[in-house]
Each structure stands twice: as structure tokens, then as C-alpha cells.
Amino acid sequence: MGFSSFKLHPKLAASIKALGYQVPTPIQVQAIPPVLAGRDVMGLAQTGTGKTAAFVLPILERLLPGPRGRVRSLIIAPTRELAEQIHVSIGELGRNTHLKSCTVYGGVGVNPQISKLRSGVDIVVACPGRLLDHLAQKTIDLESLEILVIDEADRMFDMGFLPDIRRIIRQLPVKRQTLMFSATMAPSIRKLTDEVLSDPVTVKIGHTNPADTVSHALFPVEQHLKTRMLMELLRQTDTESILIFTRTKYRAKRIGQELQKAGYRAASLQGNLSQNKRQEALDGFRDGSYQILVATDIAARGIDVSNISHVINYDMPDTTDAYTHRIGRTGRAAKTGDAFTFVCQEDEPQVRAIERVLGARIERRVVKNFDYTTPAPKRDVEFARPPRPQRRDRGEVKPERAGTGKEENRKTGKGSPASGRTGFSTTGPKPAGGG
Ligand code: AMP
């Protein structure tokens, strides 16, 4: 997904280009459309995720056509440093717009701020204490306010600013759009959202910073060793609730069965299940009677289980969006989670794309005491399925059959002939008829 899908003003598109942003970050993907649509938004995201542009871009878009020189947007930040950073971002992203912003915080002279405010600004980035002083002295006029942003609400709370925030909000027009960002959803923050946001859209991006709630790890492995490695990894890892993603329906089913055989409380969720079976798997996973759920991306849509401790990508997702969706199922809010991804050599370009979005290299790990040298069996078990024709699910790779050469990935449009198929062992013998 590119920035063009937001249909931003060409002036903003030009600044995005000049800054070298190629694709929106996950918080931008999720937050920009509802903010543009005028909705109140609660964004669970921390610094480093691109959250500043996620609110600055739609604010600029909204302010571009209207009257100039009145404060139409107020951004409240807990520290001067953050206020300055936001102000700089507004300058960069809005450099072609002639919209003006200024900062308001304590510890520096008040007079330059007063004259700047008098000269006419469109956006004010403020820390709470000094803003209250300006309001008391009537040196700031917020009558025309349309959009309020409360950034890093959890830090505001830690610093004892919530009473100040409430005092400020009481002096603002009631009819406005409000956006709030916080790294966590502590009870105090939830209470504040109930008070200040109206019918908000909540976007959760706790996982984009690898150092925070989710730890990401890649496990390089050859295709034919994946199942064995999965078993070993599960044996060695302290897990609660695990969601495993596979690329095909057939694999989801087969791995579910193998896990059951190995004594795990596991179920699989894939497009071929009846609605009853599907519901039974979902309910069982939610209430803990299944510890492991194996699913394809499509089948897993809408799963919202808050206590998933591990997401395991048995197969690499096709897109970076799919990756963030998958791992977004763990590490929700203040909880921590692990995202393990099995990668074959062919997956490297996709790994690099994901690392670009995360803004960090993902740690490579090996499973201790696991024999990586076992050669592929004659007929690769990963593809040895009964040759029964199946209906295709859009966006999923058709379950593969050794040697047909006909499987295709309709989502990416990539054909994968048997001779060069994704994830196939490069050292083991070729499957029957494959090449
Ligand atoms: P923030 O989380 O807002 O503090 O942003 C973190 C860093 O990411 C800043 O240096 C931004 O300039 C940068 N950034 C924001 N959006 C993007 C994007 N779509 N692509 C690349 N870098 C970005």
C-alpha cells in the first residue's frame, strides 16, 4: 500500500516524497483514513512508529482549504522536546502549504510566544502548564479549534498532567475532532478516552517497535524441516496461547493434526471447514480449551484473542501488511508477545521489506539442539498430500502437490513452477516429477 491511496493533496504528496517516505508505516495505514474521515481516533503506538505523521498529515489536509491565521488545531505533548519534534514535522510535511505552527511551553520567555500567537498561527503544539497560563491570560484564542491531539497520553499521566489536560479541554469548543495517542491503555488512560473521545476508532500498533511489546525473531530453516523444528521450538518455549499461520489450507489442517498427535490441544482454522467447525475452533481457542490454533491468513481474519503469547509464521506472509496483521494478534496493549517467523532462503527479499517497515533488523535465531542437517526425504513431506482437487480461496496458494507445476499464488501473481518452488529444499532430492 502506498501513500497515494490516501488521496492527499499534491502539496502533501510532494513533501512525503521529498522526505523519502516510500510506504506508510502500519500506524499511518490504520490511522490516516479514519482521521481524514473526521473520526475521533485512539492510537496505541509509541515513538518510532511514524505516529507523528499519522496525525500531522490528515491535520494538514484538513486545514489546507480553510481560513488562515486562527488556531484550528492544538497538539498537546508532555515534553518540550516532543513538542519541538512535532513542530519540526509539521514544518517538513507542511512546507508547501503556508500553514503556520508554533510551540508553547514553559522554561522559556513568554513574550516571543505571545507575539507569534498574535501574528496568526494555524497549529499550536503545546505543553500543558504554559498553555494553561496563556489561556488564563487570554493570550491564546482557541475558539476556532477543530482538531485536538493529545500525544503520549500515558506519559502525561506519569508526569501528573491529567488534571491540567482536563482543565484545558473544558475550555475548548465541544464540537471538534479529538485524537489521542498512547503507548499503553492503562485504566487512567481508558478513563480519559471515555471522557474526551466520541465514538472513537481504536488503532493498535504496539508491535512495530521490535524493542517493545513484541519481540520478533526469524528462524532460518529449510522447508522440509519446518514441522520438526516447530515441534522442537514448542518443546523449548514457555508458551500460553499460540497462533500459527500457514500459507495454505492444507498445511493448516495437516499441522493441526500433527500437533494433536504430539499431544497438544490444537485446532486448525481454514476455509474448508463448516461454519460449525469453524466456530468450535474459534471458541475453543478463545476460552483456552485449545492452546494452539493453526490458520491461514484469510481464515484468521477478525480473530481477536487478547492473550496470544506467540504468533508463529510457519510460512512467511506474502506481504508486509500481512506480517503486521498477523503479529498484531500478540503483544496487545501492555502485554508482551513473541513473533517467530520461519524463513527459507527464498523469503529473504520479503524479510528485507519487513525490516524496512519495522525500521530495524530482526534477530536471527537457531533452535538449540536441533539437527538442521537432516536431508529432505525423497518425496518432501511438506507436499505429500492426497491429490484431491480443491476449490481455491482467493489470496491463498492452492494446496500444493508435488510435481504438478500448476500451483500459483493469485495474490502476488507469482507462478511457482515445481522446479523453482518457494521454500523447496535446495539440498534434498527433487520431488517426483518436479523438474
Ligand atoms: P515518530 O514515531 O513519529 O517519532 O517517527 C519516527 C521516525 O520515522 C521519524 O524520523 C519520521 O521521520 C520517520 N517516518 C515517519 N513516517 C515514515 C514513513 N512512512 N517512512 C519512513 N520513515 C517515516
Side-chain angles (χ1 to χ4, degrees):
M1 180 181 184
F3 276 101
S4 58
S5 60
F6 301 135
K7 301 197 167 44
L8 292 167
H9 193 284
K11 288 183 173 174
L12 298 179
S15 330
I16 292 167
K17 196 165 171 217
L19 285 169
Y21 298 175
Q22 296 190 339
V23 286
T25 65
I27 184 77
Q28 292 162 3
V29 169
Q30 290 194 43
I32 290 176
V35 180
L36 283 173
R39 296 286 305 267
D40 281 6
V41 169
M42 173 70 217
L44 284 163
Q46 49 267 93
T47 298
T49 55
K51 71 178 161 67
T52 313
F55 60 79
V56 168
L57 283 168
I59 287 175
L60 294 169
E61 177 78 23
R62 172 156 174 177
L63 301 192
L64 258 165
R68 297 296 169 98
R70 305 179 200 160
V71 183
R72 292 167 64 204
S73 182
L74 170 67
I75 298 162
I76 310 178
T79 63
R80 294 187 232 174
E81 293 73 25
L82 184 62
E84 276 301 333
Q85 271 175 39
I86 296 168
H87 173 65
V88 168
S89 289
I90 294 170
E92 289 171 348
L93 290 163
R95 64 190 193 139
N96 303 310
T97 63
H98 303 292
L99 286 162
K100 291 201 185 99
S101 79
C102 76
T103 50
V104 160
Y105 46 72
V108 295
V110 74
N111 288 331
Q113 291 174 2
I114 293 175
S115 47
K116 186 87 196 158
L117 287 166
R118 266 203 203 123
S119 72
V121 293
D122 309 285
I123 305 169
V124 170
V125 191
C127 296
R130 178 61 66 86
L131 177 60
L132 278 168
D133 292 344
H134 281 285
L135 282 163
Q137 300 301 318
K138 301 207 181 326
T139 44
I140 189 168
D141 176 1
L142 297 174
E143 294 285 302
S144 305
L145 188 84
E146 295 172 34
I147 312 174
L148 168 69
V149 181
I150 302 168
D151 198 12
E152 303 208 345
D154 49 338
R155 263 171 97 191
M156 301 268 202
F157 171 73
D158 292 342
M159 295 167 78
F161 281 143
L162 289 202
D164 283 355
I165 299 287
R166 292 192 166 92
R167 232 170 276 143
I168 293 164
I169 288 176
R170 280 199 289 273
Q171 303 180 55
L172 302 179
V174 177
K175 194 174 165 299
R176 56 160 202 270
Q177 182 180 12
T178 307
L179 318 175
M180 190 147 104
F181 290 84
S182 178
T184 64
M185 191 56 132
S188 51
I189 304 301
R190 192 176 294 281
K191 188 160 176 285
L192 188 66
T193 61
D194 291 344
E195 287 168 30
V196 305
L197 301 180
S198 153
D199 186 25
V201 175
T202 301
V203 298
K204 303 176 188 181
I205 314 286
H207 53 253
T208 37
N209 189 341
D212 293 315
T213 57
V214 172
S215 74
H216 304 243
L218 300 178
F219 290 84
V221 65
E222 284 189 60
Q223 183 71 36
H224 69 280
L225 294 174
K226 279 183 175 178
T227 304
R228 235 177 289 177
M229 189 178 79
L230 173 68
M231 296 295 174
E232 188 55 40
L233 190 61
L234 291 177
R235 251 194 302 278
Q236 294 181 15
T237 314
D238 188 15
T239 55
E240 287 164 33
S241 194
I242 310 160
L243 185 55
I244 299 176
F245 284 98
T246 63
R247 191 172 286 150
T248 68
K249 295 185 278 190
Y250 170 68
R251 269 186 214 176
K253 185 174 163 191
R254 184 178 56 72
I255 293 162
Q257 286 167 344
E258 295 204 14
L259 287 166
Q260 284 166 1
K261 263 194 258 161
Y264 289 100
R265 289 176 285 114
S268 62
L269 193 67
Q270 27 86 16
N272 291 344
L273 291 184
S274 68
Q275 187 54 35
N276 275 352
K277 285 248 169 72
R278 196 184 140 76
Q279 203 55 50
E280 195 263 333
L282 273 174
D283 292 345
F285 189 51
R286 206 169 283 134
D287 68 24
S289 32
Y290 293 124
Q291 188 204 357
I292 307 179
L293 187 68
V294 193
T296 56
D297 287 295
I298 290 182
R301 248 176 223 171
I303 291 182
D304 188 2
V305 179
S306 53
N307 60 344
I308 294 173
S309 68
H310 289 72
V311 166
I312 299 179
N313 295 314
Y314 182 94
D315 294 310
M316 188 77 187
D318 286 335
T319 62
T320 49
D321 268 4
Y323 181 82
T324 40
H325 269 115
R326 286 181 181 186
I327 65 166
R329 305 283 175 35
T330 187
R332 291 243 159 124
K335 293 196 170 166
T336 56
D338 285 309
F340 295 158
T341 303
F342 294 1
V343 287
C344 296
Q345 212 172 355
E346 302 75 6
D347 299 327
E348 275 302 323
Q350 190 60 18
V351 169
R352 280 195 294 277
I354 290 167
E355 287 179 329
R356 266 199 301 278
V357 169
L358 294 175
R361 191 180 141 81
I362 307 176
E363 182 194 344
R364 270 72 171 165
R365 288 196 206 158
V366 290
V367 177
K368 273 184 267 150
N369 305 321
F370 179 68
D371 183 5
Y372 282 91
T373 60
T374 313
K378 259 210 153 29
R379 190 158 189 262
D380 194 316
V381 289
E382 296 297 334
F383 300 101
R385 67 172 291 269
R388 192 160 53 84
Q390 291 206 336
R391 200 168 45 85
R392 286 176 194 185
D393 256 9
R394 201 165 57 84
E396 292 184 45
V397 180
K398 193 184 171 198
E400 294 143 303
R401 187 145 62 95
T404 62
K406 284 186 184 155
E407 57 273 2
E408 63 172 53
N409 182 337
R410 297 173 62 171
K411 202 164 176 183
T412 57
K414 269 187 282 181
S416 41
S419 56
R421 57 161 39 103
T422 307
F424 215 84
S425 162
T426 47
T427 52
K430 288 202 166 130

